[in-house]
Amino acid sequence: MCVFCKIISKEIPASIIYEDEDVCAFLDVAQVTDGHTLVMPKEHVDNILDCPPVLLSKIFSVTQMLSKDIVQKLDAKGVNVLTNANPVAGQSVMHFHVHIIPRFTEDGGLILKFRGNPAPDLKKIERILMK
């Protein structure tokens, strides 16, 4: 059983801030910023690529609700919402989860920086994706 399944089944204590029949959300023990929350299905699903669409929709509805609540209650200036799929993308626990990371300053706790590909072949990628 994965660590998140153990938290959901109450075998491991956690600071649960939301729970319903399908979704559980708790504070990440490794707070990137104050209020860093993980939202996930109670059902074990490896990642977003494997999540049934109806459940995915519910997870993101809860994520939006909690994001608004966290930003308002903690007086955050913004929020990052992200998920990782598979180790190559940074997923360390193989149970689908969404990070809500409140932002108080641009450089506090998390720095996201996109580097553009200097010479993308957009036509080639478009042909592949449009098949």
Side-chain angles (χ1 to χ4, degrees):
M1 184 181 290
C2 84
V3 67
F4 289 167
C5 286
K6 289 180 180 180
I7 290 171
I8 291 164
S9 69
K10 311 292 193 287
E11 292 177 44
I12 296 175
S15 297
I16 296 173
I17 64 166
Y18 177 87
E19 185 172 19
D20 66 25
E21 63 278 358
D22 301 312
V23 179
C24 184
F26 51 86
L27 297 176
D28 192 319
V29 295
Q31 293 278 289
V32 170
T33 63
D34 289 348
H36 180 179
T37 299
L38 304 178
V39 184
M40 65 196 62
K42 286 185 168 181
E43 170 189 340
H44 184 90
V45 176
D46 283 347
N47 57 51
I48 192 171
L49 304 174
D50 298 325
C51 192
V54 171
L55 183 55
L56 183 63
S57 178
K58 181 159 187 188
I59 290 165
F60 274 96
S61 290
V62 170
T63 298
Q64 181 187 40
M65 176 197 66
L66 290 174
S67 294
K68 288 178 179 181
D69 199 41
I70 290 166
V71 165
Q72 189 265 323
K73 288 180 177 175
L74 295 180
D75 196 30
K77 306 304 179 222
V79 65
N80 289 105
V81 174
L82 61 97
T83 189
N84 305 316
N86 295 323
V88 70
Q91 185 179 7
S92 58
V93 178
M94 296 301 131
H95 185 122
F96 173 45
H97 57 286
V98 176
H99 294 261
I100 299 172
I101 304 172
R103 300 307 298 266
F104 303 94
T105 63
E106 289 182 19
D107 61 352
L110 174 70
I111 297 172
L112 291 176
K113 185 172 185 165
F114 294 97
R115 295 181 318 210
N117 181 345
D121 187 344
L122 297 180
K123 289 297 181 190
K124 176 184 173 187
I125 298 166
E126 180 184 7
R127 281 192 307 274
I128 292 168
L129 294 177
M130 296 304 289
K131 286 183 181 178

